[in-house]
Amino acid sequence: MKIAQLKALVKRGESETLEFKSSIAGIKEGMKTVCAFLNSDKGGTVLIGVKDDGKIIGQDVADSTRKTVATEINKIEPHAKIDVKYVCVVDDRHVIVLLVNPDDRAPYTYDGRPYMRNQSTTMYMPRDEQNYLYNRNNPGLWERLAHNTCTIKDLDHGRIKEVVRMAVFEQRLPEAALSATTPNILKKLNLMVGDKLTNAAVILFCKDEDKQFMQSSIQLARFKGTTKSEFLNNKKYRANIFDLYDKAMDFLVFCLPVAARIEPGKSSRVETPAIPYSVLREALINALAHRDNSNAGGNISVAVYDDRVNITNVGALPRGVELSKLSKEHPSIQRNPLISSVLFACGKIERWGRGTLDMIEDSKNAGNPLPIYEEIGGSFSVTLPLKEPMPTIIYKQSTDLDKLTDRQKEIIEALQQGPLKMPQIMKRMSIALTDRTTQLELAKLKKMGLIKSIGKTKSTIWALSDSD
């Protein structure tokens, strides 16, 4: 570094990536900042021989000075390469320049303690931030740990068999897996440590809610209008990853309108959901696969508004994946390699590194607005805008959507398009119903308070209870 470069750097002033120390007496404080720069994503520079106001005064540099710098650098663990330069500023006085590049082995400590940068201040790094950096830079570490309370009998064996069948169908497991015992299957999938289940096995297959991780949960909400000021339906589930996926898809299919039409020459109706189901599935599976499971608050939220769907998971993008590159070819870096490999084996993940691109392509093909990807406060969010806002539908809070039959859900979906007469409802059903059966289903939904009838006898029109 030349003197002109040094002056230009000093002119910027202290910042998140630059700190001044007037003399070698401040080396210990300076090294805390070096440690903080190592723990950041940006790195930084410490200048010794520059006053707080930016005046360059330099520092006498003797052999003892160089030894002091080397001694303090050696107090950083794990060992880090710090680029040290001595820039002569006047006569025999130098500014000591400590250049720090970020490293993927964080968290680093200086003299046994970790530090972080908060704007232009160096501070002690709290435990949760240490854990975050450790897990971020050691992908898959948490999911490989042994779980102490959940056992094989607590797993959903039916779900495990289903996963194996799908993996064999996808040709990602050999046919011999169909007759293998559950312990052998789990070992084949690297979901056991000795005779204990891994955390990944619990996330994937544990059916006992009390033994499932608190963070293995999903919050589902339908809000009134386009803000969170009032919700119309709100549910939370704690379960294994497959059950959470099914619950969330059922909720989205129920809440979102489906346009249906009959094409000439075809006996069945053609349905067009407000958001392609392939896009919803991809967004959900991405959230489940990349959730930061090591974070006890790392749940997933699914929010449905009149004009969009938002799906958010705790856990920023893995290092090496940039937000700006998600709409282009990008590397596939798995936060949870064991969990992701099982999801890939059974076909939930089709192709590595293609999820965001497939969502964009499928949205374009459907004529929908493109997905919006964001990182917000250590979380990753995808927003799926609708072509047109849908009407706000008021759901009674006492209604348990899980208890509605598929036929009843279809009737609700049909009425989301607007009031209909019974023959019009019957035409929109995927399976032909008799007049009597349709009348009974309409009566049940009316008793639940979900729909209402307008008029009498053959002119009766059916509508959602609180729609206009």
Side-chain angles (χ1 to χ4, degrees):
M1 181 179 288
K2 297 181 179 179
I3 184 66
Q5 294 172 303
L6 175 67
K7 288 181 177 179
L9 184 62
V10 170
K11 191 175 181 180
R12 299 178 192 173
E14 289 188 303
S15 66
E16 187 180 7
T17 58
L18 181 63
E19 180 155 302
F20 304 153
K21 295 297 175 188
S22 59
S23 71
I24 195 68
I27 184 67
K28 291 186 181 295
E29 293 301 313
M31 291 307 301
K32 291 178 183 178
T33 300
V34 167
C35 176
F37 288 156
L38 283 168
N39 286 328
S40 75
D41 290 328
K42 300 177 181 178
T45 305
V46 175
L47 302 178
I48 300 175
V50 179
K51 298 181 72 173
D52 289 345
D53 61 5
K55 183 178 181 180
I56 300 174
I57 58 176
Q59 160 76 48
D60 289 330
V61 176
D63 285 344
S64 59
T65 309
R66 296 175 185 270
K67 288 179 181 178
T68 297
V69 172
T71 297
E72 296 305 318
I73 288 176
N74 285 335
K75 292 180 182 179
I76 289 182
E77 294 182 345
H79 177 71
K81 186 179 185 307
I82 308 300
D83 193 4
V84 183
K85 298 183 181 299
Y86 297 87
V87 180
C88 183
V89 292
V90 60
D91 298 331
D92 58 350
R93 296 179 70 83
H94 295 73
V95 168
I96 304 171
V97 182
L98 305 176
L99 297 171
V100 184
N101 291 314
D103 197 288
D104 60 5
R105 292 180 295 165
Y108 281 85
T109 64
Y110 165 67
D111 205 15
R113 291 171 66 85
Y115 295 91
M116 62 183 289
R117 197 71 168 164
N118 184 1
Q119 297 183 15
S120 60
T121 303
T122 297
M123 57 187 290
Y124 176 71
M125 181 183 290
R127 175 64 63 181
D128 60 347
E129 183 68 17
Q130 296 176 49
N131 291 339
Y132 166 73
L133 285 176
Y134 191 78
N135 284 295
R136 185 190 71 174
N137 294 324
N138 294 275
L141 173 67
W142 181 89
E143 64 175 355
R144 295 195 300 269
L145 298 176
H147 195 277
N148 294 322
T149 59
C150 190
T151 64
I152 289 179
K153 68 180 178 61
D154 299 311
L155 303 184
D156 187 336
H157 293 260
R159 182 71 78 174
I160 294 171
K161 289 180 180 178
E162 179 186 345
V163 166
V164 171
R165 283 195 298 270
M166 291 303 301
V168 171
F169 176 80
E170 296 285 345
Q171 298 185 339
R172 293 167 184 171
L173 277 182
E175 285 192 25
L178 293 171
S179 57
T181 64
T182 297
N184 285 339
I185 291 170
L186 296 173
K187 288 175 182 177
K188 176 73 175 177
L189 296 173
N190 298 310
L191 298 178
M192 294 191 74
V193 178
D195 61 349
K196 290 189 175 183
L197 299 173
T198 61
N199 287 340
V202 177
I203 291 286
L204 285 162
F205 298 120
C206 180
K207 64 181 180 181
D208 187 335
E209 182 178 334
D210 293 333
K211 294 185 179 180
Q212 184 58 263
F213 291 99
M214 291 298 296
Q215 55 266 43
S216 188
S217 60
I218 196 162
Q219 185 83 36
L220 308 171
R222 169 65 167 106
F223 292 97
K224 182 179 181 179
T226 59
T227 69
K228 289 184 176 180
S229 59
E230 181 182 351
F231 66 79
L232 309 174
N233 199 286
N234 187 33
K235 292 184 174 297
K236 186 170 184 178
Y237 299 99
R238 178 155 59 112
N240 65 59
I241 205 168
F242 293 100
D243 286 348
L244 293 181
Y245 172 83
D246 289 344
K247 296 285 189 187
M249 274 305 298
D250 285 347
F251 184 82
L252 288 169
V253 169
F254 184 84
C255 288
L256 295 171
V258 177
R261 68 183 188 278
I262 302 294
E263 291 188 348
K266 294 184 179 180
S267 58
S268 60
R269 63 179 183 170
V270 177
E271 295 184 342
T272 305
I275 297 173
Y277 291 152
S278 60
V279 175
L280 295 174
R281 286 193 292 265
E282 194 66 52
L284 275 176
I285 210 66
N286 278 349
L288 290 163
H290 296 293
R291 174 181 60 193
D292 183 1
N293 291 310
S294 67
N295 186 331
N299 65 346
I300 293 169
S301 65
V302 177
V304 181
Y305 303 88
D306 283 5
D307 62 346
R308 68 195 185 280
V309 170
N310 177 266
I311 299 174
T312 301
N313 64 275
V314 171
L317 290 169
R319 176 172 284 186
V321 179
E322 298 178 23
L323 187 65
S324 60
K325 301 292 179 63
L326 292 181
S327 59
K328 305 173 184 177
E329 292 289 342
H330 57 272
S332 174
I333 300 176
Q334 306 302 316
R335 184 190 304 280
N336 306 300
L338 290 181
I339 291 171
S340 295
S341 66
V342 173
L343 295 174
F344 175 74
C346 67
K348 292 291 187 186
I349 295 174
E350 293 294 340
R351 294 175 290 175
W352 294 117
R354 286 287 310 179
T356 55
L357 299 179
D358 288 344
M359 289 166 63
I360 291 171
E361 184 177 345
D362 290 352
S363 295
K364 283 182 179 178
N365 292 339
N368 279 44
L370 300 186
I372 301 168
Y373 304 119
E374 298 175 283
E375 278 191 288
I376 304 171
S379 295
F380 179 73
S381 167
V382 57
T383 299
L384 306 171
L386 277 67
K387 289 182 190 177
E388 298 177 358
M390 58 183 172
T392 295
I393 299 163
I394 311 297
Y395 300 101
K396 287 203 169 183
Q397 296 303 311
S398 60
T399 300
D400 189 348
L401 300 184
D402 298 330
K403 294 180 181 178
L404 292 180
T405 66
D406 290 341
R407 196 154 54 198
Q408 291 166 348
K409 290 179 182 179
E410 272 198 275
I411 293 173
I412 295 291
E413 289 172 21
L415 292 177
Q416 286 183 3
Q417 309 305 309
L420 298 170
K421 292 183 179 181
M422 193 174 80
Q424 293 173 312
I425 295 172
M426 293 171 68
K427 285 183 179 180
R428 285 165 169 76
M429 301 299 289
S430 59
I431 299 175
L433 302 180
T434 64
D435 288 359
R436 176 62 177 163
T437 300
T438 306
Q439 288 172 347
L440 287 172
E441 294 291 10
L442 291 170
K444 289 176 184 177
L445 290 170
K446 183 177 180 179
K447 187 175 181 180
M448 292 179 193
L450 289 175
I451 66 174
K452 63 185 177 183
S453 60
I454 305 168
K456 295 181 180 181
T457 63
K458 293 183 179 180
S459 62
T460 300
I461 294 175
W462 295 90
L464 295 170
S465 289
D466 296 278
S467 62
D468 295 331

